[in-house]
Amino acid sequence: MKRTIRTTALALGALTAALGLQAGPARADTSAPRIDLRVLVVSDGGPATDAIAAELDAVGTPYTKVDLTSSTRPTIDAGFLADTVDGRPRAKYQAVVLPNDNPFAAGSAEMAALASYEQTYAIPQVDAYTYARPQAGLQVPTSGGYSGSIDGVQAQVTDAGKAGPFGYLKGAVPFEDNSPTVGESYAYLSTPAPGADFTPYVQAPVPGSSQQGSLVGEYRHDGRRELVVTFVYNQYQEQFRLLSRGIVEWMTGGVHLGASRNYFAVHVDDVFAADDRWDTLLNCTPGDVDCTNSSVTPSPIRMTPADVDYATAWQNSHRFTLDLLYNGVGSVDQREDNNGIDQLADKLIADRNQFRWVNHTYTHAFLGCQQDTTVVPWKCQTNPDGSTKWVGRATIDYEIATNRAWGQLAGLPLDTGELVTGEHSGLRILPQQPDDNPNLAPALWDNGVKWLGSDNSRDPEQRQVGPAVTVPRYPMNVFYNAGKASEEADEYNWLYTSRAQGGSGICEDNPATTTCLAAPLDTGTGYQDYIVPLETRIALGHVLSGDPKPHFIHQSNLAEGRIAYPVLNGVLDGYDALFAADTPLVNLRMKDIGTELQRRAAWTGAVHAGQITAYRIGDTVTVQAPAGTYVTVTLPTGTTLGGSAFGTAYAGRTSGWTSSSGTALTFTLPSSVAAPAVTAHTGTAATAPAPRTKVPAGVTRQVPYTPKS
């Protein structure tokens, strides 16, 4: 026993000498270091390190960023990286992210300190975008490899990648090719250098060769581990969003603060009601307040019982549930006009348990200011003193309560705390109505509303309105007034082409608009060929970024031509083709989305305020958070909290939320998970690799760079 204690003390003596720490009394249990659950991100201002930082932000994982371009940045030395706490060695960072394999000058003391730190504490390093070369475990691309664009290439996760950090993917990693004139992905494809301990995790075919070149791989050398990434990316590209989870899991060993899941929810507004139809000659929608030609009779679009059967079968085939936002007066009017008959309502009510239901107000009335529709666009009416005329509290109460009562009488499975007003009215709408209707919050109190839908394009941040918290919803560019693909394409042309091409001129007046068309779409093929792929990519991008906010369409889009389904199929089928069975889409109802967003915001605020302390010692993870804070962590399967199983399984890990009482939360990892150990070493490990030039900082179009010899 004495011999073991002496060996540990000698190892600690070597450690303190190497790191320049103050030596303290030797204790047997200090052989297990404390590893703080925080990542060090060293950035050169390029898109790759910024993308990884954005992923850490989205997940809720704390990090410290050192900007190499700043003259006031801290020096990365032994004291910056490690110290002791209560006599125990502490690594301040569980992982290091560098812009490339060595962004420092020749003989850099900072790179030497990083190399020593990584060896001592078994800290992994991510090379965010680096040149393929022997110093990174790869042959240079001129030795049978490739340097250039890989736009449109379909890379593959290797067997080692599936068994390791990218096991949540089925295998395919498609690289975007959204523009024929813009280079979107530049890469170095290469094979492992002779004798290098290098394992490719993601690779792609080398053009003109039968070989596969590594895009992401692990290089082990000199007691260190590096994740070597040899393609450039930004945080919005699909290929990064697919791989970002694996990058975080690799660098943290699956033990980190924060959690990430992929969500998708679809709200279908105006159910039981009918939506007015776009007029391709008038370029407006008869029946809408902004269509002043009263000589044209509206031609409403309304679902049929056959559309309900189709929706139910579609849901079952995709293991997905739609949220139906209903207006009861639509059925009441239908029965009044048809001798008490409403086959659509009868069918929906009979199949009510196939869907989730949300109160969308009784008549879909506008609940903000009283509108003056004699002008286009409409404006708010004013009182003699110039103040805004508001829709009254009694009217808002009526719309909410009457629709709730109608739904309850029909047996709809409601959560009465959820509400989405017609057009999100009552909430501020710029430019006409810059403030919420002051009568809205009292009416929400009257009706027990806790979650209130808002338009993410106008009101993207969750906020409090009386007793309710908003749930921002993404509008899909599948228009409410289109039941056929040709109508959708015609309206799209009107909105997004120039006046000279017969359009509205919105793009000319607003140059920042990103959906503008160079030429009008073919109304026969434009929806399927252009709009569907674009809307699919946008929605799937939200899914892959872990954003739980719901998307919304309208019942008209499930009727007639059923034009919503190609987009929804693109998202769901596209997702299934990419992800393994243990990483399913999470399909939440509105109140659960609101809760998730609320907890994330509070967690992010606590992390940024420095109120969270977390570290690992051996098989124990300790998290300290303020009382009332919901804590989120990702840990290996089999982890326990207070003797009970923690969290739920997702993507090969266990994650979830748990409330803090203000005392330390102690998680126990399964015995199969190896703990980092302090390693004594000599000064030879501190020799920094040869220098190289920085990665180009462009975000969209990338060019190659040449390393220094």
Side-chain angles (χ1 to χ4, degrees):
M1 185 66 179
K2 289 183 179 179
R3 182 178 179 85
T4 303
I5 294 174
R6 177 171 173 77
T7 302
T8 302
L10 287 173
L12 275 173
L15 171 68
T16 55
L19 295 181
L21 305 178
Q22 293 296 319
R27 291 178 7 188
D29 64 354
T30 56
S31 59
R34 165 176 161 164
I35 310 293
D36 282 4
L37 300 190
R38 174 174 286 271
V39 175
L40 175 62
V41 178
V42 181
S43 173
D44 64 353
T49 47
D50 285 353
I52 293 175
E55 176 66 11
L56 296 173
D57 279 326
V59 172
T61 302
Y63 66 93
T64 295
K65 186 175 181 179
V66 174
D67 183 357
L68 294 178
T69 67
S70 172
S71 60
T72 60
R73 71 172 179 88
T75 299
I76 300 172
D77 57 18
F80 179 81
L81 297 168
D83 59 10
T84 58
V85 175
D86 296 329
R88 183 187 300 275
R90 176 178 73 146
K92 297 180 182 179
Y93 310 100
Q94 65 180 135
V96 174
V97 178
L98 299 182
N100 46 70
D101 64 286
N102 178 13
F104 301 97
S108 166
E110 291 184 293
M111 191 66 228
L114 281 168
S116 177
Y117 173 71
E118 292 169 11
Q119 285 184 320
T120 301
Y121 290 102
I123 300 299
Q125 172 184 307
V126 175
D127 304 334
Y129 169 46
T130 196
Y131 182 70
R133 62 182 191 142
Q135 291 90 336
L138 293 166
Q139 297 192 77
V140 294
T142 53
S143 298
Y146 170 77
S147 302
S149 172
I150 55 169
D151 293 1
V153 166
Q154 180 146 298
Q156 290 288 331
V157 179
T158 65
D159 289 342
K162 291 178 184 178
F166 301 101
Y168 58 90
L169 295 173
K170 279 187 176 177
V173 181
F175 276 64
E176 291 184 353
D177 187 13
N178 300 322
S179 171
T181 60
V182 176
E184 298 163 51
S185 297
Y186 195 95
Y188 302 99
L189 295 173
S190 185
T191 54
D197 185 359
F198 190 99
T199 302
Y201 288 149
V202 181
Q203 56 189 16
V206 175
S209 166
S210 60
Q211 292 192 109
Q212 296 284 321
S214 178
L215 290 166
V216 183
E218 180 174 333
Y219 179 40
R220 294 166 294 277
H221 64 103
D222 302 322
R224 299 168 61 207
R225 297 168 56 235
E226 296 180 46
L227 191 71
V228 179
V229 184
T230 57
F231 70 94
V232 73
Y233 48 88
N234 66 59
Q235 68 189 80
Y236 305 104
Q237 291 179 301
E238 181 176 300
Q239 55 267 29
F240 173 72
R241 285 173 164 167
L242 287 173
L243 297 173
S244 58
R245 177 189 299 275
I247 293 172
V248 172
E249 291 303 297
W250 182 89
M251 74 166 82
T252 63
V255 178
H256 62 84
L257 294 177
S260 176
R261 297 181 183 221
N262 296 331
Y263 302 86
F264 192 49
V266 177
H267 290 187
V268 184
D269 290 8
D270 304 348
V271 172
F272 295 120
D275 290 296
D276 293 321
R277 189 186 307 272
W278 173 256
D279 189 296
T280 59
L281 297 178
L282 292 176
N283 289 324
C284 66
T285 306
D288 190 283
V289 296
D290 287 343
C291 194
T292 57
N293 191 324
S294 59
S295 64
V296 178
T297 302
S299 174
I301 309 162
R302 190 172 190 251
M303 291 175 67
T304 66
D307 295 325
V308 179
D309 284 336
Y310 189 94
T312 301
W314 179 85
Q315 285 190 149
N316 292 337
S317 67
H318 287 84
R319 306 177 306 282
F320 189 83
T321 302
L322 296 168
D323 294 87
L324 303 188
L325 282 64
Y326 73 97
N327 308 103
V329 78
S331 179
V332 173
D333 288 347
Q334 181 72 12
R335 293 191 192 279
E336 288 180 354
D337 295 341
N338 293 276
N339 299 315
I341 296 172
D342 185 1
Q343 294 179 344
L344 172 62
D346 292 344
K347 181 63 175 174
L348 279 168
I349 292 169
D351 293 350
R352 58 189 176 273
N353 291 323
Q354 298 290 326
F355 308 96
R356 293 191 292 252
W357 296 85
V358 179
N359 188 345
H360 196 36
T361 72
Y362 188 56
T363 71
H364 202 280
F366 189 84
L367 302 180
C369 64
Q370 295 186 29
Q371 293 174 294
D372 177 358
T373 60
T374 63
V375 293
V376 177
W378 62 268
K379 64 181 181 180
C380 288
Q381 295 183 30
T382 56
N383 296 306
D385 63 359
S387 61
T388 301
K389 281 187 177 181
W390 297 105
V391 171
R393 176 174 175 176
T395 299
I396 302 174
D397 277 336
Y398 172 83
E399 286 290 330
I400 299 171
T402 306
N403 204 51
R404 180 181 64 241
W406 187 94
Q408 290 171 330
L409 186 63
L412 303 182
L414 298 175
D415 186 303
T416 57
E418 299 174 334
L419 174 70
V420 179
T421 57
E423 300 179 60
H424 306 100
S425 59
L427 296 172
R428 59 197 181 202
I429 298 176
L430 296 175
Q432 294 105 315
Q433 183 194 310
D435 301 306
D436 295 341
N437 183 343
N439 298 313
L440 177 63
L444 299 179
W445 281 109
D446 295 341
N447 290 278
V449 176
K450 299 177 181 178
W451 304 103
L452 179 65
S454 64
D455 185 340
N456 188 78
S457 65
R458 297 169 173 168
D459 210 355
E461 299 302 323
Q462 200 173 32
R463 62 188 179 92
Q464 197 81 30
V465 182
V469 177
T470 60
V471 179
R473 308 190 306 157
Y474 284 114
M476 300 187 85
N477 240 356
V478 182
F479 303 134
Y480 83 97
N481 51 3
K484 300 181 176 67
S486 58
E487 295 166 350
E488 169 80 13
D490 184 87
E491 185 174 4
Y492 205 92
N493 284 340
W494 164 253
L495 289 171
Y496 300 123
T497 57
S498 67
R499 292 183 180 88
Q501 295 170 322
S504 65
I506 288 176
C507 291
E508 294 162 276
D509 298 338
N510 301 276
T513 304
T514 58
T515 46
C516 299
L517 297 169
L521 302 174
D522 184 312
T523 55
T525 61
Y527 180 66
Q528 189 63 44
D529 293 349
Y530 181 86
I531 299 174
V532 168
L534 176 60
E535 289 305 305
T536 298
R537 186 169 72 246
I538 292 170
L540 187 58
H542 297 152
V543 170
L544 298 184
S545 66
D547 190 340
K549 292 177 183 176
H551 294 72
F552 72 94
I553 55 174
H554 294 78
Q555 63 84 34
S556 53
N557 307 140
L558 305 186
E560 297 184 356
R562 299 170 179 162
I563 62 175
Y565 290 109
V567 176
L568 302 185
N569 288 340
V571 175
L572 296 177
D573 295 344
Y575 185 90
D576 284 346
L578 294 169
F579 287 87
D582 69 352
T583 312
L585 268 179
V586 181
N587 176 217
L588 300 178
R589 73 172 301 137
M590 182 171 156
K591 70 173 183 179
D592 297 321
I593 294 170
T595 299
E596 175 71 19
L597 290 170
Q598 197 173 39
R599 288 178 176 177
R600 284 190 190 189
W603 172 255
T604 299
V607 168
H608 289 172
Q611 296 175 321
I612 309 298
T613 301
Y615 55 88
R616 175 183 181 179
I617 299 175
D619 64 357
T620 300
V621 170
T622 302
V623 182
Q624 184 81 44
T629 302
Y630 276 88
V631 170
T632 177
V633 292
T634 297
L635 300 168
T637 302
T639 295
T640 59
L641 173 62
S644 300
F646 165 73
T648 55
Y650 194 80
R653 302 293 181 186
T654 291
S655 57
W657 294 96
T658 188
S659 182
S660 170
S661 64
T663 59
L665 294 167
T666 303
F667 301 85
T668 303
L669 308 182
S671 58
S672 58
V673 180
V678 174
T679 303
H681 59 83
T682 65
T684 57
T687 303
R692 45 172 296 280
T693 57
K694 292 183 179 179
V695 177
V699 174
T700 303
R701 185 171 181 83
Q702 302 298 334
V703 295
Y705 63 87
T706 304
K708 293 180 181 177
S709 58

